[in-house]
Amino acid sequence: MTPSTETSEEDRKHLHVRLTDQRSSVYDLVTEYLQAAGKAPDWYWRTAGRLEGSEGDNLEELLTSAFEAGAFIAHDHPEDLKFLWVSEEECERERRADERGEQGQESGKERSSLSHYA
């Protein structure tokens, strides 16, 4: 028996995590987590801003903190998140729509989404 096309398409979907309120900022929620965890948000954001592929020492701490922050946000702010399983085609459509929408916005506007966590 061969799997149906629908099942194969379902298997290829990946997770997008979005903030429900487009005016809110994932940066604020991560900063809230860092403060609650006793971590230094200034250090985190400065390090993330200048991180390059060769800085392995800080990469593990940044990834661990980002993962913990995602869990914190999902636990303490579940009403602020929506979870979407999307195909590559849906993802590409969303990416193109975001690019068109962001071109018309102020250049300093932060993107308020967490993407590709699965």
Side-chain angles (χ1 to χ4, degrees):
M1 251 181 151
T2 59
S4 71
T5 306
E6 236 176 80
T7 303
S8 298
E9 172 123 354
E10 288 295 317
D11 292 340
R12 290 181 290 203
K13 289 192 173 189
H14 60 273
L15 180 63
H16 282 196
V17 181
R18 299 284 184 248
L19 295 177
T20 54
D21 183 355
Q22 292 186 1
R23 293 170 295 162
S24 63
S25 169
V26 71
Y27 300 106
D28 293 340
L29 293 170
V30 171
T31 298
E32 179 184 332
Y33 156 74
L34 292 167
Q35 290 170 335
K39 299 184 179 196
D42 291 344
W43 172 86
Y44 183 86
W45 293 120
R46 277 195 313 272
T47 303
R50 49 172 210 266
L51 183 67
E52 294 181 14
S54 62
E55 294 192 37
D57 294 342
N58 293 325
L59 182 60
E60 186 173 350
E61 176 65 25
L62 288 171
L63 290 174
T64 300
S65 292
F67 186 78
E68 290 170 348
F72 168 84
I73 293 165
H75 182 268
D76 284 13
H77 298 281
E79 71 285 353
D80 291 336
L81 299 176
K82 61 182 173 181
F83 300 91
L84 307 168
W85 286 97
V86 298
S87 67
E88 287 299 321
E89 183 179 298
E90 293 166 327
C91 181
E92 188 58 33
R93 267 197 313 264
E94 182 179 316
R95 192 173 299 136
R96 283 192 303 267
D98 282 348
E99 287 171 0
R100 285 191 305 268
E102 287 177 3
Q103 288 173 353
Q105 297 174 0
E106 298 174 22
S107 60
K109 174 120 174 64
E110 299 170 339
R111 181 186 171 115
S112 61
S113 65
L114 300 166
S115 293
H116 299 281
Y117 274 89

